[in-house]
Amino acid sequence: MRNRSNSGVRLDYYQRLLNKTILKYQNPVTGLLPASEENSHAWVRDNVYAVLSVWALALAYRKTADLDEDRAKAYELEQSVVKLMRGLLRCMMSQVEKLERFKHTQHVNDSLHAKYCSKTGKTVVGDQAWGHLQIDATSLYILSLAQMTASGLQIIFTLDEVSFVQNLIFYIETAYRTPDYGIWERGDKTNHGLPELNSSSIGMAKAALEAINELDLFGARGGPLSVVHVLPDEAQQCQAILLSMLPRESNSKEIDAALLTVISFPAFAVDDGEKVEETRDSIVTKLEGKYGFSRFLRDGYKTAREDPNRLHYEPWELQVFERIECQWPMFFALFVLDGLFNGREEQVKKYSEKLDSVMIKSDEGIHLLPELYAVHKEMVEQEYKTPNSQKREAIGRLPHRWGQSLYIISKLVQEGFLSPGELDPLNRRLVSEPKPDIVVQVVILAEDEFIQSKLWEHGIKVQTMEEVRPLQVFPASVLTQIYSLLGRNKKMGLTGRPKNEIGLLATSKLYTYRDQILAFIPQTADEHQFYLPKDTLLKLDMFANDVGFLSSYWGSLGRPLLIFPVSTNLNYLGLNV
């Protein structure tokens, strides 16, 4: 019998660590992870982050398996991942009516719940009893679903589930204009329960939209019906708002450590390298401490000065929390991963040492990552005078599964069991790499033969829309109708995408629909649907803007195709049409 290799022995250690800190709590019926042994609530976000380490360890076993036993362990871990992800899917599918309403209202009371019962999968609090609208949590689920599917796991089993995921895409695609309660579930900093636009939510939504676009949810066994689609204009809208907000998190939060998940692992949502550096530097400068990172400035959560009998504070009262904010060690693990993905050895070394220094060793010799470190109430005054001078105590959950998962992932990559690319099969990490210059293809089409003949008299040779067949040219409104069919499912009561306007990026490519090749006229050039193009000079000006926009923001494969229709209105240019 062959002996275990050193790598196999080391992976077995991480499997034991994972079993004792995460998997032992997984519910055998729903697959969900409760917040603790005493609290059966299962948060969507926490569950997804926790299961990422299970997925990572499965990838490591699959990669280095040298015995059948290793392959069996890889399969067991993969099925634990599938169990949890499908458990969350089942919970969300039970709220399909709310999903359908939210697509049209974007109202906080119509949002999917942020947490469920880990024993039954049912809701645990009312629609208005919690800040459920957390777009980043739903987006993180979609992003992780896409990455796991791309790695070879099959999580989606039926076309009904494909329809639901397609509607989840519609749920998050308006993140750029939908205020939510954010990653910390509190809305504005004063905890008045007021939702606001959050960069972390918008960034995670953008990453999810880009990651899952054109993905076959059945993997290699699927076909056209199991592919989900995203309107590229919605992702671009998210990017525009995100770049305008960074490094700020929201109207009430100057900076937030959660933005690291947007500029780095797992989202990699920002393609502007300078903005990434600015945001990272701002997080380090304003939030880093000896025991971790503060979530945001003047965060009173679990501090010695927090009043447990008060639900919210006035803005001027938050100063009492300045300099004594609790520090979260899980952000050390995120900075280790950030360094590993970006090849920053000094950063990896620095934060690995800091991470090891805040770990707590259990009686069984297992390294546990606490939820946070707080200043003891007797040392608050000294901490006010000299920040980061006082010893802090670990409080909250031990281990903090979200952070414990990130710790395990960072160790697997550090020790060479996984490469960064294996954790990112969709290559999100390359989003900021320089891209080649975009060449915009412009096609000028005459509305009819009369227009064509007049243009020929001036030396402009063009085809009519009839002559380009079998390619068929339609206005953007037709594409709106086609997109409204996506995700439609009568059994589940899903009506598909709301008939919102279609943007330029979506109309600038060819489509195959029922064995036909379709092209679309941009809405800004369609005189039959939009009155402004009837002003020829304005139409030409908008056309020039469209070319510039496509040159700057085209992110799909191939070159953009911009159709410019010519009609009788060109008599303003002196063509006497």
Side-chain angles (χ1 to χ4, degrees), residues 456-472:
W456 279 25
E457 292 176 5
H458 293 79
I460 304 174
K461 295 185 178 182
V462 299
Q463 291 179 296
T464 65
M465 295 186 184
E466 290 295 324
E467 290 175 342
V468 297
R469 289 184 179 275
L471 188 146
Q472 299 187 57

Side-chain angles (χ1 to χ4, degrees), residues 75 149 152-157 159 216-227:
Y75 181 77
T149 301
L153 293 185
Q154 184 171 349
I155 297 169
I156 304 301
F157 291 170
L159 289 178
D216 192 330
L217 295 180
F218 289 172
R221 303 179 184 88
L225 293 179
S226 55
V227 176

Side-chain angles (χ1 to χ4, degrees), residues 520-539:
F520 296 93
I521 299 171
Q523 187 173 343
T524 54
D526 185 2
E527 298 178 9
H528 300 288
Q529 299 288 331
F530 193 43
Y531 69 92
L532 286 181
K534 293 184 180 295
D535 183 328
T536 304
L537 294 178
L538 179 59
K539 180 176 182 177

Side-chain angles (χ1 to χ4, degrees), residues 204-242:
M204 197 63 73
K206 173 186 178 287
L209 292 172
E210 292 177 342
I212 205 165
N213 187 29
E214 307 295 336
L215 183 71
D216 192 330
L217 295 180
F218 289 172
R221 303 179 184 88
L225 293 179
S226 55
V227 176
V228 289
H229 304 273
V230 175
L231 270 174
D233 298 275
E234 303 296 351
Q236 174 54 37
Q237 292 269 35
C238 289
Q239 170 162 308
I241 300 301
L242 177 63

Side-chain angles (χ1 to χ4, degrees), residues 419-437:
S419 66
E422 289 169 308
L423 284 173
D424 180 31
L426 292 173
N427 295 323
R428 294 289 315 154
R429 67 195 183 284
L430 305 179
V431 68
S432 60
E433 292 292 318
K435 299 177 179 61
D437 293 336

Side-chain angles (χ1 to χ4, degrees), residues 39-53:
N39 186 350
S40 64
H41 294 187
W43 272 261
V44 174
R45 182 188 305 101
D46 293 47
N47 270 248
V48 175
Y49 270 116
V51 85
L52 285 178
S53 60

Side-chain angles (χ1 to χ4, degrees), residues 245-266:
M245 293 178 66
L246 289 176
R248 195 175 186 89
E249 161 69 352
S250 66
N251 185 51
S252 67
K253 301 185 187 76
E254 304 87 342
I255 187 67
D256 195 310
L259 289 175
L260 188 61
T261 64
V262 170
I263 63 173
S264 187
F265 179 83

Side-chain angles (χ1 to χ4, degrees), residues 40-196:
S40 64
H41 294 187
W43 272 261
V44 174
R45 182 188 305 101
D46 293 47
N47 270 248
V48 175
Y49 270 116
V51 85
L52 285 178
S53 60
V54 185
W55 173 56
L57 186 58
L59 292 175
Y61 266 118
R62 188 198 298 175
K63 176 182 178 181
T64 61
D66 55 4
L67 295 174
D68 289 341
E69 178 187 350
D70 294 334
R71 284 182 279 273
K73 289 177 180 177
Y75 181 77
E76 291 168 9
L77 291 167
E78 288 172 351
Q79 294 312 301
S80 295
V81 175
V82 172
K83 180 83 172 177
L84 185 144
M85 294 294 285
R86 287 191 58 77
L88 290 175
L89 179 68
R90 176 176 169 270
C91 292
M92 291 186 283
M93 289 183 72
S94 68
Q95 295 197 305
V96 66
E97 298 87 0
K98 292 170 66 65
L99 171 62
E100 179 63 26
R101 290 198 302 270
F102 185 86
K103 290 188 302 182
H104 302 280
T105 66
Q106 283 86 54
H107 195 278
V108 292
N109 292 340
D110 294 330
S111 64
L112 297 175
H113 279 209
K115 59 180 181 176
Y116 302 90
C117 178
S118 61
K119 298 177 181 178
T120 64
K122 297 181 180 179
T123 58
V124 288
V125 292
D127 292 347
Q128 301 180 30
W130 197 264
H132 288 297
L133 181 52
Q134 299 169 28
I135 293 176
D136 74 291
T138 307
S139 301
L140 176 66
Y141 177 85
I142 295 174
L143 172 62
S144 301
L145 172 66
Q147 295 279 28
M148 291 171 181
T149 301
S151 74
L153 293 185
Q154 184 171 349
I155 297 169
I156 304 301
F157 291 170
T158 68
L159 289 178
D160 290 331
E161 293 172 358
V162 172
S163 297
F164 183 79
V165 173
Q166 181 68 68
N167 280 270
L168 279 183
I169 293 171
F170 302 148
Y171 179 89
I172 68 169
E173 70 178 8
T174 57
Y176 63 91
R177 56 179 172 85
T178 306
D180 72 338
Y181 291 100
I183 190 171
W184 308 122
E185 306 183 308
R186 61 190 294 153
D188 76 308
K189 186 190 290 190
T190 57
N191 208 21
H192 278 73
L194 301 175
E196 57 183 357

